[in-house]
Amino acid sequence: PMTDMPTTTRTIRAARGTILTAKSWQTEGPLRMLMNNLDPEVAEHPEDLVVYGGTGKAARNWEAYDAIVRTLEGLEADETLLVQSGKPVGVFRTHEWAPRVLIANSNLVGDWATWPEFRKLEAEGLTMYGQMTAGSWIYIGTQGILQGTYETFAAIADKRFGGTLAGTLTLTGGAGGMGGAQPLAVTLNEGVVLIVDVDPSRLERRVEHRYLDEMTDDLDDAVERVLAAKAERRPLSVGLVGNAATVFPELLRRGVAIDIVTDQTSAHDPLAYLPEDTALADWQTEAAADPVDFTRRSRLAMAKQVQAMVDFQDAGAEVFDYGNSIRAEAKLGGCERAFDFPGFVPAYIRPLFAEGKGPFRWAALSGDPADIAATDRAILELFPEDEKLRRWITSAGEKIAFEGLPARICWLGYQERHLAGLKFNEMVASGELSAPVVIGRDHLDSGSVASPYRETEAMADGSDAIADWPLLNALLNTASGATWVSIHHGGGVGIGRSIHAGQVIVADGTPLAAEKIARVLVNDPGTGVMRHVDAGYERAAEVARERGLRVPMWEG
Ligand code: NAD
């Protein structure tokens, strides 16, 4: 009956509290997290089932969504639901250690892995874009990216500016679901940032959620405000309504003293990047009417923006690609020097990946913020010696407005995550938490991604494009007891450019959940260490030796 309703009137919100709709918490977990991904507080365009990242969807269409919900509600503890690009396609008898849901999104055979082919199949209703945590039901709103973004800017502060961004000005584009974390990440590092987005509603949303301080549609006004703050070494974020392809070169031409330049528009998908000659209101119609020409024009615009980024680098600024494939698209648009600046992973993040560190996250199925506050305290008690973590958890507790179910993210590595997971499971068992929590991670991760323009750019052994690693990660998580496991293609960098996997586990307070957590949350980051040992990273080999990871070819 729900499917007869016009789609725009549907508002999805996950249940809160302890009354189950499904038969157990093991299926209630994925059910609530699917719904949470589509909560208007969480999703960027819930009416189209789009969660974030251009067109990253949680389910193929509303009929498929309803069928997933119905199936999860009736799924038994020894059954597994298979989801093919957002559509439920089968239920099989398995066993209680098996995942309750197995998901494959957007995967295409190599020679067919192009945007035109994908869009053709999508239009025929055969596939959908799963992004990373959209189609795998563990998106937690903009917080999900905030800590990683904070860490990246902190690394830049350490590398170039004496440990703080105070007195520096950052220029970036894209204030969407992920990109919207940038202004707060810069101001948390005490810097000033100008963020450009063509869509005023995106900037307004960031102001509402306290990720952005101010916004304007006047370039002169914006420049004046950020330069004043920079001169006073006062943290400030200003959103400017404008097209990055126009604004970046204009700021360069004016010689505005910009120290750091990056971008998080949805450049990975040329139809999700607005060309300069298209009005915001005509975006969808023009893209749908002539995707080929739209792609050509958006790539031309990206080439202009990226050329300005290269010129900023020539002028001495710190410039990097923030994981959205803008260099690759700009190169296709004719910018020869697009790859002159690095991606953020080789530039700042790889040493963390070598330790299996990455964006670990959990969400409180109760919906009660007090549950997250309790887990925050537990994290501080578990890792008292980690000063950076303490700073993050403390300021996150104070500054972050939850979107949807209360959730938390922090970067933990190999032989750390299971300590948190087991503690949370105990807290569920003892009643200290009012309901179970789900524990997962981003696909932006150390061991579960092959992505030559991002996570695996410039690997030490040249293995950037080898995609066996994410597949092994997914198989191992399945064998170890994760509650749901997913394998995706495309993600943040676009069709043809990545293969990646995810896992989520429900801590329901049972001894069985503890057994599973003890395996999944060790093995999953373990594949990250393994992958970096194999590629020849000395730090990873040290971590493997010190923390007892077996890597046969390294045991001597
Ligand atoms: P989104 O679709 O929610 O937001 C993109 C924003 O870019 C929109 O607000 C849109 O209005 C704006 N935009 C489009 N064209 C523009 C133009 N020409 N000028 C100015 N603004 C323009 O996407 P998102 O979730 O914020 O992700 C942004 C990008 O970052 C994607 O490519 C995504 O795949 C990538 N990503 C990066 C990471 C990372 O860790 N660095 C993680 C996830 C996603």
Side-chain angles (χ1 to χ4, degrees):
M2 291 293 275
T3 50
D4 298 330
M5 292 166 66
T7 56
T8 44
T9 67
R10 294 190 68 169
T11 302
I12 308 296
R13 188 171 184 266
R16 267 62 174 168
T18 52
I19 296 172
L20 295 179
T21 320
K23 293 195 166 177
S24 78
W25 282 107
Q26 293 297 315
T27 42
E28 186 77 14
L31 179 63
R32 288 193 190 184
M33 294 310 289
L34 162 65
M35 292 179 160
N36 194 55
N37 263 14
L38 292 170
D39 185 326
E41 227 177 274
V42 176
E44 293 294 310
H45 303 287
E47 64 286 359
D48 302 320
L49 298 113
V50 168
V51 183
Y52 77 102
T55 55
K57 290 168 77 171
R60 184 96 56 93
N61 51 41
W62 287 108
E63 289 71 24
Y65 167 82
D66 289 331
I68 295 171
V69 168
R70 233 180 9 249
T71 310
L72 283 174
E73 284 173 358
L75 203 74
E76 300 293 341
D78 63 351
E79 290 180 327
T80 297
L81 165 65
L82 268 51
V83 176
Q84 179 260 323
S85 292
K87 183 174 97 170
V89 289
V91 173
F92 291 87
R93 173 101 195 275
T94 53
H95 54 86
E96 64 179 0
W97 270 83
R100 297 284 69 84
V101 190
L102 291 170
I103 297 172
N105 281 322
S106 326
N107 296 287
L108 292 171
V109 171
D111 275 4
W112 283 258
T114 66
W115 274 118
E117 181 68 20
F118 176 80
R119 290 199 213 289
K120 181 178 110 13
L121 295 166
E122 188 186 30
E124 287 166 5
L126 297 170
T127 188
M128 73 162 197
Y129 203 63
Q131 255 288 352
M132 293 190 135
T133 53
S136 58
W137 314 338
I138 185 70
Y139 184 66
I140 57 169
T142 304
Q143 184 194 166
I145 200 68
L146 180 63
Q147 197 205 5
T149 313
Y150 169 80
E151 294 284 347
T152 302
F153 282 103
I156 297 167
D158 284 342
K159 181 179 153 191
R160 287 276 302 260
F161 304 103
T164 171
L165 294 185
T168 69
L169 173 56
T170 297
L171 168 66
T172 187
M178 298 279 99
Q182 298 175 101
L184 183 54
V186 173
T187 54
L188 285 172
N189 279 293
E190 303 168 310
V192 181
V193 56
L194 177 62
I195 181 164
V196 185
D197 198 296
V198 282
D199 184 347
S201 76
R202 299 299 91 189
L203 293 167
E204 278 156 18
R205 180 164 174 156
R206 303 310 149 210
V207 172
E208 254 164 50
H209 294 197
R210 297 190 290 157
Y211 279 83
L212 177 64
D213 297 327
E214 308 172 354
M215 62 182 280
T216 172
D217 52 15
D218 184 277
L219 179 63
D220 297 324
D221 179 29
V223 170
E224 210 170 286
R225 292 192 209 184
V226 293
L227 288 180
K230 174 175 164 153
E232 295 163 27
R233 299 176 67 82
R234 167 171 54 86
L236 178 72
S237 56
V238 176
L240 172 67
V241 183
N243 193 309
T246 315
V247 173
F248 277 43
E250 176 58 19
L251 292 168
L252 183 77
R253 196 189 60 79
R254 293 184 183 198
V256 178
I258 291 167
D259 305 281
I260 301 162
V261 186
T262 187
D263 174 75
Q264 266 197 64
T265 57
S266 270
H268 71 279
D269 176 353
L271 300 187
Y273 182 99
L274 191 71
E276 285 178 281
D277 46 2
T278 297
L280 182 65
D282 301 330
W283 190 338
Q284 302 312 332
T285 22
E286 285 190 23
D290 192 347
V292 173
D293 189 60
F294 194 97
T295 297
R296 184 188 61 79
R297 290 187 293 119
S298 72
R299 283 181 177 151
L300 273 180
M302 286 188 235
K304 261 186 81 178
Q305 185 188 344
V306 168
Q307 184 57 50
M309 293 170 78
V310 170
D311 294 340
F312 273 117
Q313 176 169 269
D314 288 348
E318 181 79 10
V319 181
F320 61 99
D321 172 309
Y322 215 153
N324 62 356
S325 258
I326 197 165
R327 291 170 301 172
E329 292 296 326
K331 183 134 202 217
L332 291 168
C335 178
E336 282 308 317
R337 292 182 60 200
F339 280 89
D340 275 20
F341 56 85
F344 74 109
V345 172
Y348 318 111
I349 302 292
R350 180 123 331 123
L352 299 174
F353 278 176
E355 298 184 21
K357 278 199 175 176
F360 176 66
R361 59 179 59 172
W362 59 98
L365 295 175
S366 63
D368 186 351
D371 281 356
I372 292 300
T375 56
D376 283 352
R377 289 192 296 275
I379 290 284
L380 296 178
E381 281 165 24
L382 279 172
F383 306 103
E385 69 296 337
D386 190 335
E387 179 54 27
K388 256 184 157 176
L389 183 67
R390 193 191 59 74
R391 238 192 300 147
W392 162 253
I393 291 285
T394 312
S395 59
E398 289 162 3
K399 298 204 172 159
I400 287 176
F402 293 128
E403 298 168 291
L405 289 171
R408 184 64 75 226
I409 186 162
C410 69
W411 284 44
L412 291 177
Y414 180 59
Q415 295 292 7
E416 293 176 337
R417 291 185 194 185
H418 71 295
L419 300 176
L422 289 170
K423 176 71 188 169
F424 298 169
N425 199 53
E426 279 169 32
M427 292 164 79
V428 174
S430 72
E432 210 178 320
L433 300 179
S434 60
V437 292
V438 298
I439 307 170
R441 57 162 171 77
D442 199 351
H443 296 199
L444 188 160
D445 172 68
S446 69
S448 63
V449 200
S451 185
Y453 293 146
R454 201 161 96 177
E455 287 84 349
T456 54
E457 174 172 343
M459 291 296 289
D461 63 346
S463 60
D464 307 17
I466 300 288
D468 298 333
W469 303 100
L471 302 183
L472 288 171
N473 172 272
L475 292 169
L476 182 64
N477 279 322
T478 300
S480 302
T483 311
W484 67 101
V485 176
S486 53
I487 297 179
H488 293 206
H489 164 209
V493 287
I495 291 294
R497 296 186 183 136
S498 66
I499 305 280
H500 41 96
Q503 71 77 21
V504 186
I505 187 161
V506 178
D508 61 11
T510 60
L512 179 61
E515 293 256 8
K516 292 177 178 178
I517 287 167
R519 287 165 178 77
V520 171
L521 294 185
V522 172
N523 296 349
D524 180 44
T527 67
V529 178
M530 166 186 77
R531 203 257 179 271
H532 288 81
V533 170
D534 191 78
Y537 289 90
E538 187 45 45
R539 178 64 190 139
E542 252 171 51
V543 169
R545 264 194 307 275
E546 290 166 8
R547 305 184 200 170
L549 176 75
R550 292 195 56 193
V551 180
M553 304 285 285
W554 275 69
E555 286 176 347

